[in-house]
């Protein structure tokens, strides 16, 4: 479904060029929930934002389905983006619009007619269990409800892919759980491919099939999540798996060093 | 108090309101265009064009650095070209509009910049184009700030109208000069001052009211 080949991205800053992604190669199957983990600044957001070209890659290619995203002109890219939903850590809802207005936005932008928009928004709001909130403004919703609106907006155009950049990091554990359930449910029901960045071990373990580990802009490990936990190869994966064991006291923690407090801090932040 | 006071003040008020209304409309149109252009053409904007941005920004700074009374004089030929005269309220509207537009442009630019990048990215991520983003995201999201900024601008235009009165624009400013200053008619001078204060208060009150009702609808608990 998604194939990334030799992707590079650097940022030019006043103090010089920062290489954010180096020679990224990745394949994600249709219908899977693919995780991306790594410490802060590793390049996770940059990678996922290259997939819908919110960031322009320097070189390399990205293919989603039959479309070579990296070849598209501005106008074609806009059409392609309708099939690539995205959700954000800070939700990024429109305060000026009701829940209905937020979810209708992509459909209006795509030129759908009013009855069609009303029908679709109704269906999607039911799917995310917000049927009764259509007339509310975002400020009247809880964090979890806001993210449900974010998900509904991302799904409005019936995308094939959903990109999630730490979508649960601003939520408490219980709400996180319900949002993950929702994503897993949507993944099953709609056959949606999900690419999901996370800091949280639980997220990875609960819903991701495969995951890539990023360290300093490079993919250092790409394996089924079970393997990442039981036989981590990279430093990052070892620390993540170690921390997970440390807190859950299960699995093969005996083989792993207990993480230092500051490492735990970094993961849990 | 002489019996001509009411007639004079009424005529002055009429002319002032006429100038403020039309200058505000034209300055708002021009200023909105400038403000939006400044935001979207900025580096990293949705229609990034740093060259265009630089030119407009420099032009705005240029016009804004000219004292208003001098700007009016500079714009006299333009007034003659557009309305056929350099005297009276219609001529003043030309100078007032052009003088206030750059100020409004900056005010609108600032209001629009308050809209978080995240919202614009969310709009981009569903395939919205630049014009949809301007009309459906930037402007509605910034609306309360836009209304507050425009209120300040319209009040400034009211003040400028009084200044323009000094050089033949008519209106309350001109009354104050002609009768209050040149003929020592304290009653008329006080009358004009009271009326201008009243206009400013009403403008401020309306602007606050509109901005607050928008905010209250969106943020019911805040
Ligand atoms: N707009 C930018 N300009 C300059 N450098 C940037 C920019 N965005 C990201 N970077 C740099 O690129 C690298 C990767 O950043 P990125 O945001 O992708 O990390 P991340 O893995 O998502 O981190 P976090 O977990 O903190 O969100 C970092 O070194 C960061 O400083
Ligand atoms: Mg990030």
């Amino acid at each position: 479904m998604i194939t990334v080949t030799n992707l590079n991205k650097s940022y030019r800053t006043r103090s010089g060029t920062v290489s954010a992604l180096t020679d990224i190669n990745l394949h994600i199957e249709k219908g899977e929930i693919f995780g991306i983990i790594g410490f802060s600044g590793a390049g996770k957001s940059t990678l996922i934002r290259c997939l819908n070209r919110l960031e322009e890659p320097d070189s390399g290619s990205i293919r989603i389905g039959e479309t070579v995203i990296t070849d598209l002109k501005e106008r074609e890219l806009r059409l392609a983006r309708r099939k690539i939903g995205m959700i954000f850590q800070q939700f990024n809802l429109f305060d000026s619009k009701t829940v209905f207005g937020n979810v209708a936005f992509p459909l209006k932008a795509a030129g759908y007619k009013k009855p069609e928009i009303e029908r679709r928004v109704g269906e999607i709001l039911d799917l995310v269990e917000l049927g009764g909130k259509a007339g509310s403004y975002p400020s009247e919703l809880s964090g979890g409800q806001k993210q449900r609106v974010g998900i509904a907006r991302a799904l409005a155009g019936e995308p094939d892919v959903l990109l999630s950049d730490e979508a649960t990091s601003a939520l408490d554990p219980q709400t996180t759980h319900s949002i993950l359930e929702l994503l897993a449910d949507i993944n099953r029901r709609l056959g949606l491919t999900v690419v999901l960045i996370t800091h949280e071990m639980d997220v990875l373990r609960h819903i991701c099939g495969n995951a890539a580990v990023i360290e300093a802009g490079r993919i250092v490990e790409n394996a089924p999540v079970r393997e990442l936990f039981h036989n981590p190869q990279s430093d990052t994966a070892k620390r993540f798996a170690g921390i997970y064991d440390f807190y859950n006291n299960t699995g093969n923690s005996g083989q792993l060093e207990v993480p230092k407090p500051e490492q735990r801090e970094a993961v849990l932040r | 108090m002489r019996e001509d006071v009411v007639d004079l003040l009424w005529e002055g008020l009429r002319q002032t309101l006429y100038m403020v209304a039309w200058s505000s409309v034209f300055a708002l149109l021009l200023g909105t265009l400038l403000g939006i252009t400044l935001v979207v053409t900025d580096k990293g904007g949705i229609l990034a064009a740093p060259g265009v941005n630089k030119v407009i920004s420099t032009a705005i700074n240029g016009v804004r650095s000219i004292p208003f009374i001098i700007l009016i004089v500079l714009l006299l030929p333009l007034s003659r070209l557009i309305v056929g005269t350099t005297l009276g309220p219609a001529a003043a509207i030309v100078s007032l509009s052009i003088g206030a537009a750059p100020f409004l442009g900056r005010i609108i630019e600032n209001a629009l910049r308050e809209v978080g990048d995240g919202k614009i990215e969310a709009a981009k991520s569903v395939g919205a184009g630049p014009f949809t983003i301007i009309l459906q995201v930037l402007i509605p999201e910034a609306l309360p700030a836009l209304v507050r900024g425009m209120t300040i601008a319209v009040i400034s235009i009211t003040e400028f109208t009084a200044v323009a009165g000094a050089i033949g624009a008519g209106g309350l400013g001109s009354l104050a000069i002609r009768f209050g200053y040149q003929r020592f008619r304290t009653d008329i001078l006080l009358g004009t001052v009271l009326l201008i204060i009243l206009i400013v208060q009403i403008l401020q009150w309306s602007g606050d009211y509109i901005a607050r009702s928008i905010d209250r609808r969106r943020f019911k608990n805040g």
Side-chain angles (χ1 to χ4, degrees), chain A residues 49 52 54 78 81-82 84-86 88 91-97 105-106 108-109 137 139-140 153-154, chain B residues 117-130 132-133 135-137 140-141 217-221:
Chain A
R49 291 159 54 81
N52 63 357
L54 285 179
R78 257 181 255 151
R81 278 176 177 161
R82 292 184 191 165
I84 311 169
M86 190 169 204
F88 307 85
F91 321 127
N92 295 341
L93 300 182
F94 307 125
D95 297 320
S96 60
K97 301 186 199 307
F105 175 79
K108 277 191 190 160
Y137 282 88
S139 68
E140 302 166 79
R153 180 177 63 185
Chain B
D117 287 342
K119 289 177 184 174
I120 293 162
E121 293 205 327
K124 277 191 188 171
S125 78
V126 297
T132 306
I133 295 178
L135 295 174
Q136 307 265 340
V137 180
E141 289 295 307
R217 195 166 44 136
R218 293 179 185 178
F219 306 100
K220 294 200 174 68
N221 336 304

Side-chain angles (χ1 to χ4, degrees), chain A residues 44-45 165-166:
Chain A
K44 307 179 295 293
S45 296
D165 191 349
E166 310 220 22

Side-chain angles (χ1 to χ4, degrees), chain A residues 46-68:
Chain A
T46 307
L47 173 56
I48 208 167
R49 291 159 54 81
C50 280
L51 296 183
N52 63 357
R53 275 176 58 193
L54 285 179
E55 287 309 336
E56 285 297 336
D58 298 338
S59 63
S61 85
I62 295 164
R63 195 166 52 76
I64 297 184
E66 298 301 307
T67 314
V68 182

Side-chain angles (χ1 to χ4, degrees), chain B residues 169-204:
Chain B
L172 294 170
S174 146
L175 274 186
I177 299 278
R178 281 189 294 138
F179 290 86
Y181 180 67
Q182 289 163 355
R183 293 181 209 168
F184 308 106
R185 284 286 300 270
T186 315
D187 53 348
I188 290 185
L189 184 61
L190 287 179
T192 58
V193 170
L194 282 176
L195 284 175
I196 290 176
I197 290 177
L198 196 68
I199 295 174
V200 170
Q201 293 294 344
I202 290 174
L203 285 172
Q204 186 66 57

Side-chain angles (χ1 to χ4, degrees), chain A residues 129-252:
Chain A
E129 291 166 12
L130 280 179
K133 293 282 183 188
S136 303
Y137 282 88
S139 68
E140 302 166 79
L141 304 178
S142 70
Q145 288 172 331
K146 284 182 191 165
Q147 195 55 287
R148 283 169 191 271
V149 178
I151 292 170
R153 180 177 63 185
L155 294 180
E158 299 183 342
D160 310 313
V161 176
L162 182 67
L163 308 175
S164 161
D165 191 349
E166 310 220 22
T168 58
S169 296
L171 305 173
D172 63 57
Q174 229 174 333
T175 314
T176 294
H177 193 77
S178 82
I179 293 289
L180 292 179
E181 289 286 294
L182 175 64
L183 289 179
D185 182 49
I186 289 164
N187 164 260
R188 273 193 304 270
R189 279 212 252 171
L190 309 179
L192 201 70
T193 307
V194 181
V195 184
L196 186 148
I197 290 179
T198 184
H199 267 137
E200 298 154 291
M201 296 288 71
D202 269 334
V203 173
L204 204 60
R205 210 184 60 124
H206 278 126
I207 71 166
C208 297
N210 296 304
V213 182
I214 299 199
E215 252 172 45
R218 291 171 189 275
I219 292 188
V220 290
E221 206 168 345
N222 183 350
V225 169
R226 289 184 60 80
E227 234 168 272
L228 286 182
F229 276 106
H230 291 291
N231 189 17
Q233 302 297 312
S234 61
D235 252 19
T236 302
K238 278 179 191 163
R239 287 200 216 168
F240 270 80
I243 291 157
Y244 191 75
D245 286 345
F246 184 81
Y247 281 98
N248 288 270
N249 227 353
T250 55
N252 51 356

